[in-house]
Every structure is written in structure tokens, then in C-alpha cells.
Amino acid sequence: MSGQQGPTLIASVRRAFRLMEAVGAHDGGVPAKQLARETGLAPGTAYHLLRTMVHDGYLRRLEDGTFVLGEKLGALHAGSRDQAALSRVRPTLTELRDGLSAAAYLTLYEEGEIRVAEIVDGPKAPRVDLWVGFEDAGHATALGKSVLRELDADARADYLSRHVLNDLTPRTVTRRAELLRRLDASPRGPAVTDVEEYRLGTACVAVPVRRGDTVGSLGISVDVSRTACLDDAVARLLDTAERVSRGLSLTI
């Protein structure tokens, strides 16, 4: 039975791809009969596959009965662009890790949340144990605070209105007024640090990056015994952040 099912499923996948290609070749909606004719599929087969792909979001059926590409394909395309962008900057993050002997982190502010886009670590540069997700710890991490510092007042207020400033360690800043004061008075210029605010035993420094209009941050983490090296790391981080921003913003 499995020997017969495999080729049948493969053939169905191929037919579905042919239908999506045919739909994509038309600027406006295209009727099922025309799609069956253009793909060489029997009308019944075409109708069945079209209904399935509409149900799954790969196609959309308009009110006039014609078909266009669905939102899920757009999401997949956007995801592939994001993967391509990350692949372009990953070697740069690796250089940063090796040059500073520290794990390198990249975050992006997407849909109102600070999200980790990439971590490059290694045996000699272990990553921080992310025991609390970044979406709930932006106030306690250098990476999160770097993003918050770059947001305009409205976007920053919106973020803080939706997130509790949880007490993660005895050094975590949990008062909004104090957090804002520190963000605006960081002594390292564009760089922001956290020393045991997210996790005891760990210090971090981060600088801003951008992917087009999207704000993000680039940072490193080290054992707290190496906190003194963070000042020397800022210049390298800023240079690397420029390269990362260019790589993320490429549209090809």
C-alpha cells in the first residue's frame, strides 16, 4: 500500500504546484476551467486541488469564482527573504564572536515584540541561558534596552504598556521612570549594557541595527568577570552593526 501511496502523493503535489504557477501567471483572478485547461488537468482533479489549496490558504477564491494566490504564499515568500538576509549576515556575526570571544546576538523589533533573530555561539563563547523569553525581558537585557532606546516615544510607551517589568535578578530595573532615565542617560553613547540584570553572572552590551525601517540590536554576552572588556568591545560592535544593517537591508 505504501508503495502505491508515495507516487500518488508526489503526483498530487506536482499538480498543486502546476496550479499555483498557473494562478501566479495571471495578474487578476482566473477561473477553474481555464486553470484546468492550462495545466492539462481533468476538471474534477483541478477543482478538488483548488478547494484544498483555498482551505489551506495557498489560494484565495474571489467573489466572482476566480482564483488568486493566497496570503500563506506571501508569508512563505517573506520568510524566505528573512532567511536569505540572515544567511548574509551570519558570517559577520561569526567574525564578531571569534574576534571578541563572546556569543553574538541579533534581535529585531517585529509586530510589537523584541525577538531573537540569530545567535552565534561556540564552545569558547557560550550563549546565555535564555531562561526568560526576550518578549518578556526587554527591560532587563542590553539587546532589549537598545531597541527600546531607538523607538520613538509612542512606540516605546506602547511596548511598556503591554509588558510587565518583571524582577529577574536583584539588579533588574522594575520601575518605568528609572528605566527610561537610564535609557536616555547611557554613558556609552549608542551602546547599552546590562550587568546581571537578566541573569546573575552575565554581562552584555548591545548597539542598534536596522533592517530598512525595522529597529533591531546587535550584542554580545560575557561572564560578569569580563565586564571591563565591554567598553573596548563597543567600537567593534558599532562597526559590525553597520555591516549587519547593510546586509539585512539588501533587497536582492
Side-chain angles (χ1 to χ4, degrees), residues 33-164:
K33 286 185 179 180
Q34 183 176 343
L35 288 170
R37 185 167 59 252
E38 291 180 1
T39 58
L41 298 176
T45 300
Y47 292 146
H48 173 71
L49 289 171
L50 288 168
R51 284 195 299 269
T52 300
M53 288 188 286
V54 167
H55 179 269
D56 290 342
Y58 293 102
L59 297 179
R60 185 161 59 92
R61 190 174 187 270
L62 303 180
E63 291 184 0
D64 62 3
T66 59
F67 295 86
V68 296
L69 295 176
E71 295 180 356
K72 184 169 286 187
L73 281 179
L76 290 173
H77 182 55
S80 67
R81 291 200 307 268
D82 292 344
Q83 290 178 0
L86 289 175
S87 69
R88 287 195 297 269
V89 303
R90 197 168 290 116
T92 305
L93 298 180
T94 301
E95 286 182 29
L96 180 67
R97 177 201 66 189
D98 294 344
L100 297 177
S101 299
Y105 306 79
L106 174 66
T107 73
L108 293 171
Y109 188 65
E110 299 175 315
E111 299 178 347
E113 300 294 347
I114 301 167
R115 294 172 175 161
V116 178
E118 187 65 275
I119 301 176
V120 177
D121 59 355
K124 297 181 179 180
R127 69 178 65 189
V128 175
D129 177 17
L130 303 181
W131 69 285
V132 175
F134 265 58
E135 292 185 0
D136 297 315
H139 66 293
T141 65
L143 291 154
K145 290 189 290 182
S146 177
V147 170
L148 291 175
R149 184 174 181 177
E150 293 300 305
L151 295 178
D152 61 35
D154 290 340
R156 187 189 291 179
D158 172 69
Y159 176 88
L160 293 175
S161 71
R162 294 181 288 104
H163 295 81
V164 178

Side-chain angles (χ1 to χ4, degrees), residues 234-247:
V234 170
R236 176 122 188 202
L237 271 171
L238 289 171
D239 177 69
T240 304
E242 290 186 11
R243 296 163 58 195
V244 168
S245 294
R246 289 196 297 269

Side-chain angles (χ1 to χ4, degrees), residues 8 14-15 24 30 134 136 140 146 153 156 164 176-177 206 209 217 225:
T8 301
R14 287 175 174 168
R15 293 180 187 125
V30 55
F134 265 58
D136 297 315
S146 177
R156 187 189 291 179
V164 178
R176 177 172 174 168
V209 297
S217 59
S225 64

